[in-house]
Amino acid sequence: LYVLEEFDPAKKTVVFVHGISDTPVRFRSIVESLPADYQAVLFHYPSSFPLEYTSYLLKEALDEMIRRYELRSVDVIAHSMGGLVSKGMIQQADESLRQKMNVFVTMSSPFGGHSAAAAGIEWAPVIAPVWWAMAPGSSYLTTIDDLDLTKGPEHHLIYTFSQETGGPRKENDGVVAVESQLADSARTYAFEIYGIADNHTGVASNPCVTGLIGNIFAGDTDSAVPPGCQFE
């Protein structure tokens, strides 16, 4: 876990979890959109590791941070595979950690897995351990599918799809299929679902998305969508 400034236990804390082959730099625009009473904590991890292990490390790190600083709340914002890591962390968390989590935001996360991971397992001469969990129908995905979030934290699910100006919508964002982002379990337990036309990486710097997240963390969930922005 990394911080951008001296850690202040009096502030509310948001943990950012990046996706595969990425870094926390992805969240620059969102960090800047947070209300002043929030601080960012960045989880940076080797994304080829098994997701079971990575999600466990995140849980242990959050437990230690909460214990050391006596934090009252910890929320999570995740992009892409980071949503799977975070959901696995919540699934492993004990009741005391779950009660401190109020908001869980995911963007472009492949909750139904990714076909490229399955192809890699079958054909690649060297297999990255993370692919086993990312393959559709994996034991990891099956486990986190059963996670009931209706009692918290509130899952705000942002999915993305490609659409050229004036052209037809595509059922993917250039990396992840909409079908995977809107897997049954993810839709069932989501507090709110927002769809936006953008590509897989562009979503994290999209002004409408950063405005939406800023409003969510400001507690304005009834009118969280910024003026002039359109979500499905």
Side-chain angles (χ1 to χ4, degrees), residues 109-150:
S109 291
F111 292 110
H114 202 294
S115 58
I121 291 170
E122 184 173 1
W123 300 107
V126 177
I127 296 175
V130 68
W131 295 348
W132 293 105
M134 288 285 290
S138 72
S139 60
Y140 181 84
L141 293 178
T142 300
T143 298
I144 66 173
D145 273 352
D146 294 332
L147 177 62
D148 185 350
L149 294 174
T150 55

Side-chain angles (χ1 to χ4, degrees), residues 87 98 104 111 142-157 182-193:
K87 198 171 180 182
R98 285 283 298 270
F104 173 39
F111 292 110
T142 300
T143 298
I144 66 173
D145 273 352
D146 294 332
L147 177 62
D148 185 350
L149 294 174
T150 55
K151 295 182 180 180
E154 293 180 355
H155 182 195
H156 295 261
L157 189 160
L182 295 178
D184 287 345
S185 61
R187 287 189 289 105
T188 298
Y189 298 123
F191 179 76
E192 292 286 354
I193 298 175

Side-chain angles (χ1 to χ4, degrees), residues 184-208:
D184 287 345
S185 61
R187 287 189 289 105
T188 298
Y189 298 123
F191 179 76
E192 292 286 354
I193 298 175
Y194 314 86
I196 190 166
D198 206 333
N199 61 51
H200 188 71
T201 56
V203 62
S205 57
N206 184 299
C208 288

Side-chain angles (χ1 to χ4, degrees), residues 3-226:
V3 294
L4 301 174
E5 56 189 16
E6 184 175 355
F7 191 82
D8 183 355
K11 285 189 172 184
K12 300 174 185 177
T13 300
V14 183
V15 177
F16 290 83
V17 187
H18 64 78
I20 194 168
S21 302
D22 207 350
T23 75
V25 173
R26 179 69 55 202
F27 299 109
R28 181 188 299 273
S29 297
I30 297 175
V31 169
E32 293 172 350
S33 75
L34 291 176
D37 57 340
Y38 279 89
Q39 63 188 335
V41 174
L42 313 175
F43 181 53
H44 195 191
Y45 62 96
S47 55
S48 64
F49 278 23
L51 294 190
E52 295 87 348
Y53 178 66
T54 303
S55 58
Y56 169 77
L57 286 182
L58 178 57
K59 178 189 76 70
E60 290 292 295
L62 294 185
D63 279 337
E64 170 65 15
M65 183 175 67
I66 289 170
R67 183 197 63 79
R68 182 180 300 183
Y69 297 106
E70 300 180 349
L71 300 184
R72 291 175 294 176
S73 67
V74 174
D75 298 315
V76 177
I77 298 176
H79 175 245
S80 191
M81 190 182 75
L84 307 186
V85 173
S86 302
K87 198 171 180 182
M89 175 273 294
I90 299 170
Q91 192 275 331
Q92 297 177 56
D94 60 22
E95 189 63 24
S96 62
L97 176 55
R98 285 283 298 270
Q99 288 179 351
K100 291 182 182 294
M101 299 179 64
N102 300 311
V103 178
F104 173 39
V105 177
T106 61
M107 302 174 289
S108 310
S109 291
F111 292 110
H114 202 294
S115 58
I121 291 170
E122 184 173 1
W123 300 107
V126 177
I127 296 175
V130 68
W131 295 348
W132 293 105
M134 288 285 290
S138 72
S139 60
Y140 181 84
L141 293 178
T142 300
T143 298
I144 66 173
D145 273 352
D146 294 332
L147 177 62
D148 185 350
L149 294 174
T150 55
K151 295 182 180 180
E154 293 180 355
H155 182 195
H156 295 261
L157 189 160
I158 301 170
Y159 70 93
T160 43
F161 55 89
S162 298
Q163 187 170 28
E164 299 291 339
T165 303
R169 163 179 159 157
K170 298 179 181 178
E171 293 303 311
N172 65 75
D173 62 7
V175 176
V176 178
V178 171
E179 181 181 12
S180 180
Q181 297 177 61
L182 295 178
D184 287 345
S185 61
R187 287 189 289 105
T188 298
Y189 298 123
F191 179 76
E192 292 286 354
I193 298 175
Y194 314 86
I196 190 166
D198 206 333
N199 61 51
H200 188 71
T201 56
V203 62
S205 57
N206 184 299
C208 288
V209 172
T210 57
L212 172 71
I213 292 175
N215 289 342
I216 290 171
F217 279 90
D220 192 12
T221 54
D222 291 335
S223 56
V225 175

